[in-house]
Each structure stands twice: as C-alpha cells, then as structure tokens.
Amino acid sequence: AQSVTQPDIHITVSEGASLELRCNYSYGATPYLFWYVQSPGQGLQLLLKYFSGDTLVQGIKGFEAEFKRSQSSFNLRKPSVHWSDAAEYFCAVETGRRALTFGSGTRLQVQP
Amino acid sequence: DTEVTQTPKHLVMGMTNKKSLKCEQHMGHRAMYWYKQKAKKPPELMFVYSYEKLSINESVPSRFSPECPNSSLLNLHLHALQPEDSALYLCASSLDSGTDTQYFGPGTRLTVL
C-alpha cells in the first residue's frame, strides 16, 4: 500500500537558519508528490509539487524540494527560515486513486 | 483566482441536529473533495466528486451525506453526529481528479456536543 512517512514530528530552528524537512514515500510507480503548509486552524496551502522532469523543484515562499528516487525521498528545504514559516508541514502523495495520502506532518517552530 | 470558500467557519451542533457544510469554487474545477482533520493529525479523505458524480467514498458513516448540486458547489449534510465527529472539515477542488493540484478551503471547525 502507498504510504508517506515524515519522521520528524516536531522541529525547532532559529530564525535565519536553514531548514530541511524529511519525507519518505512507499509507492510502486512514479509518484506524484506534494508539500503543503497549514497554519493553525487554517486550510492547506500548496508549497510545491513534483510530477516528473527536473528533480529539484522550486516552490513559493523560497521553498524547494528534491526528489530522490533511489532514497524514496522528497525532502523540503529552505535556506533561511523566517518567523512566519512556523506552521505544520505535510508531505502528500497522489496514490493513483485520484486522491491524496498525507504524511503525519511536521510541526515547525521558529525561535527568534 | 485560486480560492475555495467554506461556510460556516465554525459550527456547534447537538447530536440530534441536522446541519450542512457548504463549499464553493469558481475556478472551473471538475473535482471536489471532503477531508476530515482531527487535532494534530493529517487530513483524511472522506469523499471525492468528479464531474458532479461521487467517485470515492472512503467508507464514511451514513450520518455524513455529501451532495454536489453543480460543478461549483459541494455540500456535506450532517445528521445524528457523535462527539468524536468533532474536527476540522476541509473542502478542496482540482481541475480534474488525479494528479491535478488540489486547492483547499479554510475549513469548517465542527464541534458536536
């Protein structure tokens, strides 16, 4: 069965520091992968997506992610974190059933 | 415009009430979704409508009844809910179901007393 794993439940970084959020997937075919961000009590906003082609994907708000087939990973990165980046981040995979399966999420806290 | 709107923002209902959640989009999307999100958990898919027809029902209890009156509107009718149904209910839409990007609304925070 398809699944998405986000190993880090909670991450704290200092403002201005770099960030990497991990995402691993289990899927037999070429996956369609997404990163969403959710502020408390809000809906989800798409940061970026990977369907095919260049494995380094640029998104909004200065985020990027790299697809590594050999490691079944799609990690999210940002070179310099801002206090406004504090939120919950979800990795998701399109399962072939025309729906998304989400990872359990990583809560990002940003220290001043 | 990539906006999905949901009303109401908050809803408190008793276990014997009947209420409805509403979702609307004007992006010409033909797929619409309901997700349920419990606190500190990821969204879980409930229903998918594709071209106004129900295409996926994730074994959701019948006390949740979806309806898609037209391509822009999605409703979720609620009846005889349980306290454990309290959650954030998210609506999403996409150009078509499958790999197209899903755009999410802000959600309805439901509390069942």
Side-chain angles (χ1 to χ4, degrees), chain A residues 10-31:
Chain A
H10 186 211
I11 283 183
T12 300
V13 299
S14 298
E15 191 167 16
S18 63
L19 171 70
E20 182 169 28
L21 302 182
R22 296 184 290 164
C23 173
N24 294 98
Y25 65 90
S26 171
Y27 188 54
T30 301

Side-chain angles (χ1 to χ4, degrees), chain B residues 1-19:
Chain B
D1 181 12
T2 57
E3 188 178 26
V4 175
T5 59
Q6 289 187 243
T7 54
K9 288 191 188 326
H10 301 275
L11 178 62
V12 179
M13 59 186 292
M15 290 190 285
T16 59
N17 292 156
K18 285 185 181 181
K19 296 286 185 184

